[in-house]
Amino acid sequence: MKRTKIIDVLKSTEYGKEVCVKGWVRTHRSSKAVDFIALNDGSTINNVQIVVDPTKFDEQLLKDITTGACICAEGTLVESQGAGQSSEIQAVNLVVYGLCGNDYPMQKKGQSFEAMRKNAHMRLRTNTFGAVMRIRHNMAMAIHTYFHEHGFYYFHTPLITASDCEGAGNMFQVTTKNLYDLKKDEQGKIIYDDDFFGEQTSLTVSGQLEGELGATALGAIYTFGPTFRAENSNTPRHLAEFWMVEPEVAFLDQEELMDLEEDFIKYCVRWALDNCKDDLEFLNKMIDKTLIERLQGVLKETFVRLPYTEGINILQEAIKNGKKFEFPCNWGDDLASEHERYLVEEHFKKPVIMTDYPRAFKSFYMKQNEAQGEGSIGYKGAVAPGPTMQGTDVLFPQIGEIIGGSVREESYDKLMGEIERRQMDQTHLWWYIDTRRWGSCPHAGFGLGFERLILFVTGMQNIRDVIPFPRTPKSAEF
């Protein structure tokens, strides 16, 4: 008999029809009169109940159907007599595909997410991680659909690169060299002439620089792929391997970029509410009882557009009124997550797009605001005490920064001035600099950390729990 997915069985009202379902046992309750098997195949958060007359089946067969076992159940679809489900299956045939002993690590008992990470190969079968992964899929579909509907082209940027987009230097090297016999020059530096690419290469931290090339040819592009950062960080917000969404658009100014960021993120949240109802309701009940309310709140609110300088003033006023922060927040400081969350969760109580950051801690490629006296003009004419750049970072409740964006500096002279001021090595940036020499145009873009979006949409608290197999310091299993 042809298999029917459980999600379709639960929607069906064709009572009396013979059906076949296959999946993994969530629970098996036995008695002399009747057995109840809760079966799930990953197509939905909900289980289908298999009702079994134990007098009609081999006793050993029923003993083999334990939590985690994989089975096939054939039977008659009937209207359920119990609460919690509309349909159930009266079993006429049961087949065990895969046995599951008492040492199965995902038994029906309470255990921490930290413990479950040690069994990441099995945790995907639990209700929580099934819900998270289905939502992750839907968010990927929302992203592709949004950009396709808005005229963007999906653009594939390289994973292996000789340049460091962010200038942080925390990159994983890619080499075919024998690490036990490295050829070095007289100064002790490694010679890469005999390496596969003939030069030092690494896994990319961002596809932005190459994405800008796409935007200056196709008008509007987006990348969506894995990125890598060798940062020795064990916080709940960092991974060594993560996915980034990075649109780049020609002829876009700062105001239009903020419009794009807000519209895009609201589209993704709306998609989740429209397409992930059962999974969100489960997570709202089991993980975060304010989850759905918070998602709906994002759609209702217009994001605050806040110059960095004004944000600093708000934070310093809060400190005067007794608010305690772990990290300093004077003008010129890079805001910590605690500062961002205060602005979003306590002061404005809505998402914030922070703009016009000090040049000192932002990337070299950001467009510089015009100088005025000692400082520079920020958004809406606010005068900052130092040079600023046209950044547009979106700050969300529970998360902090979820999008990092900016208008890109299109002026060759200004870009070169910034590169030289920072004493950056231009060896691997010549092709990027060429875009400012030949047919340069105003353009802008942003980067969305995909896992941070999933954190917000699911209500999960640790980024390691929204990716199937997390890569973190000292951990590359599975």
Side-chain angles (χ1 to χ4, degrees), residues 45 108-110 113 127-129 131 278-292 458-461:
I45 190 69
K108 187 175 172 59
K109 60 181 179 180
F113 288 129
N127 286 334
T128 298
F129 286 93
D278 289 345
D279 288 320
L280 288 177
E281 287 179 350
F282 170 82
L283 294 170
N284 193 84
K285 177 182 178 182
M286 302 300 293
I287 303 298
D288 183 347
K289 290 180 170 49
T290 65
L291 173 61
I292 292 178
T458 61
M460 299 293 281
Q461 299 301 305

Side-chain angles (χ1 to χ4, degrees), residues 316-323:
Q316 291 181 341
E317 187 65 28
I319 292 172
K320 289 178 184 177
N321 293 328
K323 179 68 179 178

Side-chain angles (χ1 to χ4, degrees), residues 75 107 159 167 171 198 210 245 248 261 326 335 358 362 381 396 420 425 435 438 446 452 475:
Q107 297 287 348
L159 297 184
M171 302 178 74
E210 293 89 349
V245 181
E248 289 290 330
E261 291 171 337
E326 181 181 355
L335 296 186
K362 282 300 183 180
F396 256 36
E420 291 169 1
D425 184 0
T435 62
W438 298 325
F446 66 80
R452 292 197 178 187
S475 179

Side-chain angles (χ1 to χ4, degrees), residues 430-467:
W430 63 269
W431 51 269
Y432 183 76
I433 294 169
D434 274 354
T435 62
R436 273 60 173 182
R437 295 175 57 217
W438 298 325
S440 182
C441 69
H443 61 288
F446 66 80
L448 166 76
F450 186 52
E451 281 73 29
R452 292 197 178 187
L453 173 64
I454 308 304
L455 270 180
F456 180 75
V457 173
T458 61
M460 299 293 281
Q461 299 301 305
N462 195 310
I463 202 165
R464 303 175 193 202
D465 297 328
V466 296
I467 191 169

Side-chain angles (χ1 to χ4, degrees), residues 6 21 48 50 55 141 166 197 209 227 283 319 344-345 367 389 409 427 444:
I6 289 174
V21 292
V48 66
I50 313 298
T55 65
M141 292 302 298
E166 300 296 332
F197 293 105
L209 301 189
T227 49
L283 294 170
I319 292 172
V344 172
E345 296 171 15
K367 186 175 179 64
M389 293 175 139
E409 181 56 72
T427 304

Side-chain angles (χ1 to χ4, degrees), residues 54-84:
T55 65
K56 297 180 179 179
F57 291 89
D58 180 74
E59 182 179 353
Q60 185 58 50
L61 174 68
L62 294 181
K63 286 183 178 179
D64 288 342
I65 300 176
T66 58
T67 297
C70 182
I71 71 169
C72 168
E74 296 176 341
T76 306
L77 184 67
V78 298
E79 192 168 4
S80 179
Q81 301 303 308

Side-chain angles (χ1 to χ4, degrees), residues 308 312 316 319 327-335 339 358 361:
Y308 168 91
I312 289 294
Q316 291 181 341
I319 292 172
F327 298 100
C329 54
N330 299 308
W331 200 97
D333 290 331
D334 193 359
L335 296 186
H339 304 135
F361 62 80

Side-chain angles (χ1 to χ4, degrees), residues 6-194:
I6 289 174
I7 190 172
D8 297 322
V9 166
L10 294 175
K11 292 177 182 177
S12 177
T13 56
E14 295 183 68
Y15 301 125
K17 179 182 178 181
E18 296 298 308
V19 295
C20 170
V21 292
K22 301 178 182 182
W24 293 268
V25 176
R26 287 286 194 262
T27 60
H28 181 183
R29 293 179 288 128
S30 301
S31 69
K32 290 184 178 179
V34 65
D35 282 20
F36 296 103
I37 300 170
L39 196 67
N40 191 282
D41 64 0
S43 62
T44 172
I45 190 69
N46 300 308
N47 306 321
V48 66
Q49 180 166 275
I50 313 298
V51 183
V52 181
D53 182 347
T55 65
K56 297 180 179 179
F57 291 89
D58 180 74
E59 182 179 353
Q60 185 58 50
L61 174 68
L62 294 181
K63 286 183 178 179
D64 288 342
I65 300 176
T66 58
T67 297
C70 182
I71 71 169
C72 168
E74 296 176 341
T76 306
L77 184 67
V78 298
E79 192 168 4
S80 179
Q81 301 303 308
Q85 65 271 333
S86 58
S87 305
E88 59 189 25
I89 297 172
Q90 296 280 354
V92 297
N93 186 41
L94 295 170
V95 178
V96 177
Y97 289 143
L99 296 172
C100 203
N102 293 329
D103 58 346
Y104 176 54
M106 296 296 123
Q107 297 287 348
K108 187 175 172 59
K109 60 181 179 180
Q111 55 181 308
S112 69
F113 288 129
E114 183 178 1
M116 294 174 80
R117 282 178 219 128
K118 298 175 182 177
N119 292 290
H121 58 311
M122 290 289 112
R123 69 175 182 169
L124 299 174
R125 297 187 192 177
T126 64
N127 286 334
T128 298
F129 286 93
V132 170
M133 294 307 142
R134 282 186 293 271
I135 291 172
R136 185 181 172 102
H137 157 79
N138 269 281
M139 289 298 90
M141 292 302 298
I143 288 164
H144 285 299
T145 303
Y146 177 88
F147 287 121
H148 179 69
E149 290 178 348
H150 287 77
F152 286 68
Y153 295 102
Y154 185 25
F155 191 71
H156 297 124
T157 54
L159 297 184
I160 299 174
T161 179
S163 63
D164 179 0
C165 173
E166 300 296 332
N170 298 319
M171 302 178 74
F172 292 102
Q173 287 198 40
V174 176
T175 183
T176 57
K177 293 177 70 66
N178 181 354
L179 299 183
Y180 297 98
D181 186 23
L182 294 173
K183 187 168 64 173
K184 299 181 180 180
D185 62 18
E186 294 177 355
Q187 285 75 42
K189 294 182 178 180
I190 297 172
I191 298 172
Y192 286 92
D193 292 352
D194 60 341

